């Protein structure tokens, strides 16, 4: 398998594209699926490594400074030892939307505890040039109607999203009681007082009747474990802590003038690099992009929002858009595609292919997915040929895997950046950078001297819960959540864990699991938690906890349904499939409601509105 050798002409044919007499690539009707599969497999095998997630270095010890907050001066303060009704760990969208729903439910005493110097979560940290959201702003930015904000563009830039986070914080009066630049180190249930004790790195020891945690699926930055990484003598940083003091420029796009005479390297070509490379390319004296696996780069086609059109949207429009997107994104039918983006395109292609084949059986749907994906990926590879002038560079930028094996990317300037004379694509043919030394980076026997090395190496996904969140939760009888979740999450609805009364988890997992629009999961979960807390407070209860039986039933339902995101071992390795290693933890964490996100959202709405909260015990 490792030695499949496909000639240039043959390569074009397997992709479903062919060259005309002038050398231009055209889509063809012929698609040699067997050769295509062999090519995918050969590329996958090249990238398999025994160390999986262990190939990455945790930013601790000598690497801890990579996580320092470059955006604020941390101000000394006295430790906090008071008590609140609700403490929320994490000030990103999860904390903000849950806080908003709690306030709407009349629960005022809410404290958000956040590691960063402000609200925003991922949008607080990720201020790299070009950062923007790949999901359309009208559905991605939560609470638009409540806060009266009109997104300026279909896909908004990061500064606008950060500002929106601050807007939610102000609108719902969440700043008042928040603690910033504060990292939770442990939360512990105290049976005698029926309270959670929350300890932090600032010496705080506060109490809360209820605790919720939403620390984000991509929270903890990771570094590539490349031999010699500690020895680099130039300047280096991770993309989630962009050092504008060094580069010049700003998150809103001012050119990074300080890089004009610098040799800059960037390791990684995932969704982050795809967005920042064009900006680096425009300013760096010379740019070296070290690639292990190319991303798939589909069309972006961003547009400004027309205020007149926006003013025509009636009350309830955002909920309608959310519903429309989720229905289409998960294979359903609507009269109209309101969002019309890359995500709804992928799923409608699969749905329409199944219609065309007249086969909606499980096998039929898999076949439809394969057929439509082969066409889509052929288009994506043909786009590389259209946009890249140098054929060898074009060849290296083509992704050979299914689009959903890795995070699909959408960009209209990334590929073109490689046509600049100052930009060098250093393709490592799946092997990755070999070594780093004091002056630069080695790939094979070639050394690249660098002034600055940027790690676009992503975030931990498949590692243990307490490592990713940075703290452990200790429930009844001293049982640690890290122990209960050693082989993956065990919950009801992704929210409740038996043995952890008055504790709520806020994320997409084991619920709707709608990865293409994470905030939708969070607003629904926030509404559900607000309803439970309202009921608990009104009833004068001390505790609310899921029963062991109800939790088991939920896990059995999910496991029997087998609906999971990613985890396809036939994919090229990446965080979508636990770096190619199928393990119980990864499989379990990404389980979702068997009938899909729309059915889950319907189910959970009825569950919370019934007022019975079936499966929970109020004491
Ligand atoms: P990723 O994990 O997607 O990418 C990490 C990159 O580093 C990969 O290209 C990886 O290669 C590469 N890499 C790792 N080790 C080495 C090595 N030793 N040598 C060379 N290359 C190496 O991280 P990102 O930060 O790009 O993205 C993370 C996620 O954040 C995205 O998938 C997305 O969900 C989210 N995001 C969302 C955006 C949005 O629009 N909403 C924008 C940006 C990010 P390989 O592929 O071979 O593993």
């Amino acid at each position: 398998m490792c030695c499949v050798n496909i000639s240039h002409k043959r390569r074009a044919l397997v992709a479903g594209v062919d060259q005309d007499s002038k050398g231009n690539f055209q889509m063809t009707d012929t698609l040699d699926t067997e050769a295509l599969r062999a090519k995918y497999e050969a590329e996958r095998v090249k990238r398999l490594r025994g160390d999986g997630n262990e190939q990455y270095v945790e930013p601790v010890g000598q690497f801890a400074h990579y996580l320092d907050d470059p955006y604020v001066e941390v101000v000394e303060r006295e430790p906090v030892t008071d008590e609140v009704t609700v403490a929320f760990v994490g000030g990103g969208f999860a904390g903000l939307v849950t806080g908003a729903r709690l306030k709407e439910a009349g629960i005022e005493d809410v404290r958000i505890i956040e590691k960063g110097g402000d609200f925003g979560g991922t949008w607080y940290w990720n201020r790299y040039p070009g950062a923007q959201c790949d999901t359309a702003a009208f559905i991605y930015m939560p609470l638009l109607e409540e806060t009266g904000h009109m997104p300026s563009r279909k896909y908004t830039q990061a500064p606008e999203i950060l500002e929106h986070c601050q807007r939610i914080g102000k609108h719902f009066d969440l700043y008042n009681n928040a603690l910033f630049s504060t990292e939770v180190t442990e939360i512990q249930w105290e049976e005698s007082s029926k309270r959670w004790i929350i300890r932090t790195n600032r010496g705080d020891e506060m109490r809360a009747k209820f605790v919720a945690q939403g620390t984000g699926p991509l929270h903890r930055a990771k570094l590539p474990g490349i031999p010699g990484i500690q020895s680099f003598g130039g300047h280096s940083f991770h993309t989630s802590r962009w050092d504008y003091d060094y580069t010049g420029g700003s998150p809103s796009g001012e050119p990074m003038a300080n890089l004009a005479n610098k040799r800059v390297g960037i390791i990684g070509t995932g969704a982050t690099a795809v967005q920042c490379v064009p900006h680096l390319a425009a300013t760096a004296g010379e740019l070296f992009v070290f690639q292990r696996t190319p991303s798939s780069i589909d069309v972006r086609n961003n547009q400004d929002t027309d205020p007149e059109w926006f003013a025509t949207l009636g009350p309830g429009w955002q909920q309608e858009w959310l519903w429309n997107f989720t229905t289409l994104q998960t294979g359903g039918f609507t009269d109209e595609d309101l969002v019309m983006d890359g995500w709804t395109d992928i799923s409608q292609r699969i749905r329409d292919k199944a219609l065309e084949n007249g086969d909606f059986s499980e096998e039929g749907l898999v076949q439809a997915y394969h057929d439509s994906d082969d066409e889509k990926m052929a288009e994506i590879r043909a786009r590389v040929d259209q946009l890249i002038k140098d054929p060898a560079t074009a060849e290296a930028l083509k992704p050979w895997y299914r689009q959903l094996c890795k995070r699909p990317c959408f960009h209209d300037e990334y590929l073109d950046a490689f046509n600049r004379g100052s930009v060098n694509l250093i393709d490592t043919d799946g092997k990755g950078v070999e070594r780093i030394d004091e002056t630069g980076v080695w790939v094979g026997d070639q050394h690249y001297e660098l002034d600055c090395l940027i790690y676009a190496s992503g975030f931990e996904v498949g590692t243990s819960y307490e490592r990713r969140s940075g703290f452990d939760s200790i429930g009844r009888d001293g049982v640690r959540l890290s122990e209960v979740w050693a082989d993956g999450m065990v919950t009801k609805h992704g929210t409740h864990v038996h043995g952890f009364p008055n504790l709520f988890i806020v994320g997409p997992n084991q619920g709707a699991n709608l990865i293409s629009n994470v905030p939708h999961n969070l607003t629904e979960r926030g509404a559900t938690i607000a309803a439970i807390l309202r009921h608990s407070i009104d009833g004068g209860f001390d505790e609310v906890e899921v029963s062991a039986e109800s939790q088991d039933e939920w896990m059995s339902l999910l496991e029997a349904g087998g609906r999971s995101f990613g985890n396809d071992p036939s994919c090229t390795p990446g965080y979508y499939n636990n770096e190619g290693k199928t393990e119980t933890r990864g499989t379990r964490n990404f389980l979702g409601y068997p009938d899909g996100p729309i059915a889950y959202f319907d189910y959970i709405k009825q569950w919370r509105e019934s007022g019975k909260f079936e499966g929970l015990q109020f004491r």
Side-chain angles (χ1 to χ4, degrees):
M1 276 302 191
C2 67
C3 306
V4 175
N5 188 4
I6 306 172
S7 70
H8 187 65
K9 173 76 175 165
R10 178 83 169 136
R11 225 167 6 231
L13 279 172
V14 297
V17 283
D18 203 358
Q19 276 177 298
D20 65 18
S21 55
K22 293 187 190 131
N24 295 323
F25 280 79
Q26 309 280 347
M27 296 295 295
T28 64
D29 291 336
T30 44
L31 195 71
D32 184 341
T33 47
E34 211 177 298
L36 187 61
R37 298 287 169 270
K39 173 71 174 160
Y40 282 10
E41 176 63 5
E43 293 294 330
R44 183 185 78 88
V45 167
K46 267 186 206 170
R47 289 166 174 82
L48 280 179
R49 335 176 14 138
D51 49 4
N53 282 309
E54 297 308 314
Q55 68 180 282
Y56 290 100
V57 168
E58 216 185 335
V60 293
Q62 61 180 324
F63 301 110
H65 65 93
Y66 282 102
L67 294 189
D68 288 349
D69 186 341
Y71 313 122
V72 290
E73 282 292 322
V74 177
V75 182
E76 285 302 315
R77 63 164 174 78
E78 290 299 310
V80 177
T81 54
D82 62 358
E83 180 171 323
V84 291
T85 307
V86 188
F88 197 104
V89 186
F93 277 147
L96 288 165
V97 300
T98 306
R101 294 299 184 225
L102 289 168
K103 293 273 176 146
E104 284 172 343
I107 301 164
E108 287 296 327
D109 188 20
V110 179
R111 169 173 295 152
I112 295 179
I113 307 164
E114 165 57 44
K115 185 166 67 172
D118 200 339
F119 290 129
T122 198
W123 299 105
Y124 175 84
W125 297 111
N126 288 283
R127 303 188 191 194
Y128 59 84
Q132 77 172 200
C133 184
D134 277 340
T135 302
F138 304 100
I139 52 163
Y140 180 79
M141 291 170 85
L143 310 175
L144 285 175
E145 284 191 79
E146 288 87 338
T147 55
H149 179 65
M150 179 193 86
S152 63
R153 310 202 78 197
K154 181 165 180 177
Y155 306 98
T156 39
Q157 299 293 334
E160 185 173 333
I161 307 176
L162 176 57
E163 203 180 289
H164 187 60
C165 293
Q166 295 160 342
R167 182 177 296 111
I168 295 171
K170 286 177 200 144
H171 187 90
F172 291 97
D173 196 20
L174 295 166
Y175 274 99
N176 193 19
N177 209 5
L179 282 182
F180 294 114
S181 301
T182 302
E183 228 175 311
V184 170
T185 50
E186 186 178 84
I187 66 171
Q188 186 171 17
W189 175 251
E190 189 179 67
E191 190 68 39
S192 56
S193 63
K194 309 277 185 208
R195 292 291 182 269
W196 284 96
I197 303 170
I198 301 142
R199 301 189 177 92
T200 78
N201 67 339
R202 308 291 298 270
D204 307 312
E205 193 168 304
M206 58 202 122
R207 282 156 190 274
K209 179 166 183 182
F210 304 100
V211 167
Q213 48 190 74
T215 46
L218 297 161
H219 165 190
R220 196 165 171 78
K222 65 189 187 198
L223 297 166
I226 299 167
I229 182 171
Q230 73 290 345
S231 62
F232 183 61
H235 196 71
S236 64
F237 55 87
H238 187 272
T239 49
S240 66
R241 305 289 190 277
W242 197 272
D243 189 351
Y244 284 103
D245 285 345
Y246 177 84
T247 62
S250 73
S252 50
E254 273 97 4
M256 293 175 282
N258 301 354
L259 297 182
N261 54 1
K262 297 275 193 303
R263 288 167 65 88
V264 179
I266 181 164
I267 294 184
T269 50
T272 298
V274 166
Q275 294 182 336
C276 67
V277 158
H279 292 261
L280 289 169
T283 46
E286 207 166 352
L287 179 65
F288 297 85
V289 181
F290 297 98
Q291 173 180 275
R292 189 164 69 180
T293 310
S295 282
S296 66
I297 318 288
D298 208 348
V299 174
R300 169 76 308 162
N301 193 19
N302 204 358
Q303 292 146 32
D304 289 342
T305 308
D306 173 0
E308 281 182 28
W309 164 80
F310 190 76
T312 65
L313 300 173
W317 73 265
Q318 194 174 28
Q319 195 58 30
E320 187 190 343
W321 276 58
L322 284 166
W323 214 250
N324 183 275
F325 173 82
T326 309
T327 305
L328 288 174
Q329 220 277 292
T330 51
F333 293 88
T334 60
D335 291 341
E336 194 186 349
D337 180 357
L338 293 170
V339 176
M340 278 200 292
D341 70 353
W343 303 109
T344 58
D345 178 51
I346 293 172
S347 43
Q348 286 179 92
R349 278 167 178 257
I350 300 169
R351 185 200 67 192
D352 294 348
K353 191 60 84 177
L355 268 179
E356 194 183 307
N357 297 346
D359 186 354
F360 275 87
S361 66
E362 205 169 309
E363 297 75 34
L365 285 172
V366 170
Q367 189 59 48
Y369 165 50
H370 288 178
D371 291 350
S372 67
D373 185 72
D374 289 348
E375 285 176 16
K376 175 46 107 182
M377 290 305 283
E379 281 175 31
I380 281 173
R381 289 187 288 267
R383 185 169 184 244
V384 177
D385 282 315
Q386 278 160 13
L387 296 176
I388 298 289
K389 292 183 187 134
D390 172 48
T393 306
E395 219 42 54
L397 284 166
K398 288 180 189 167
W400 294 100
Y401 47 81
R402 295 194 183 289
Q403 192 182 20
L404 295 178
C405 279
K406 281 189 171 275
R407 170 63 148 71
C409 295
F410 310 90
H411 213 283
D412 294 337
E413 288 87 35
Y414 175 73
L415 291 169
D416 192 39
F418 293 95
N419 289 324
R420 286 177 181 261
S422 59
V423 179
N424 309 280
L425 177 69
I426 313 299
D427 181 45
T428 64
D429 196 26
K431 294 184 207 64
V433 166
E434 205 167 290
R435 190 153 59 89
I436 296 177
D437 66 13
E438 199 183 340
T439 58
V441 159
W442 288 89
V443 174
D445 51 13
Q446 180 72 42
H447 183 255
Y448 298 90
E449 201 167 310
L450 301 170
D451 299 303
C452 174
L453 183 53
I454 301 169
Y455 296 109
S457 43
F459 303 87
E460 293 197 8
V461 174
T463 53
S464 67
Y465 148 76
E466 77 280 14
R467 178 167 153 172
R468 274 179 292 120
S469 56
F471 64 94
D472 211 347
S473 311
I474 305 168
R476 184 175 286 124
D477 301 326
V479 174
R480 291 178 170 266
L481 195 53
S482 58
E483 290 163 7
V484 178
W485 285 5
D487 289 328
M489 287 174 71
V490 181
T491 70
K492 180 182 175 79
H493 297 168
T495 311
H496 314 277
V497 189
H498 181 67
F500 295 79
N502 295 2
L503 177 97
F504 306 89
I505 312 292
V506 184
N509 312 53
Q510 296 189 353
N513 230 15
L514 180 67
I515 303 301
S516 54
N517 189 17
V518 170
H520 190 179
N521 304 268
L522 309 179
T523 38
E524 286 295 324
R525 221 170 261 201
T528 307
I529 291 168
I532 297 166
L533 263 56
R534 186 70 272 162
H535 181 78
S536 180
I537 292 167
D538 290 348
F541 299 108
D542 286 330
E543 286 179 33
V544 49
E545 183 183 355
V546 63
S547 71
E549 300 71 41
S550 182
Q551 179 174 282
D552 288 348
E553 272 170 32
W554 185 256
M555 292 309 297
S556 302
L557 178 80
L558 299 195
E559 271 157 17
R563 189 182 181 109
S564 183
F565 163 77
N567 249 322
D568 182 349
S570 72
C571 278
T572 192
Y575 81 80
Y576 272 23
N577 72 346
N578 199 35
E579 302 297 336
K581 288 190 147 199
T582 312
E583 283 167 2
T584 319
R585 182 158 63 209
T587 317
R588 228 185 231 166
N589 283 352
F590 286 116
L591 281 171
Y593 193 60
D595 295 333
I598 283 285
Y600 175 81
F601 290 140
D602 266 336
Y603 158 80
I604 202 73
K605 186 167 187 288
Q606 280 172 22
W607 184 86
R608 69 172 175 258
E609 287 180 356
S610 75
K612 294 187 192 134
F613 306 106
E614 182 260 321
L616 299 189
Q617 296 172 330
F618 293 85
R619 292 185 282 261

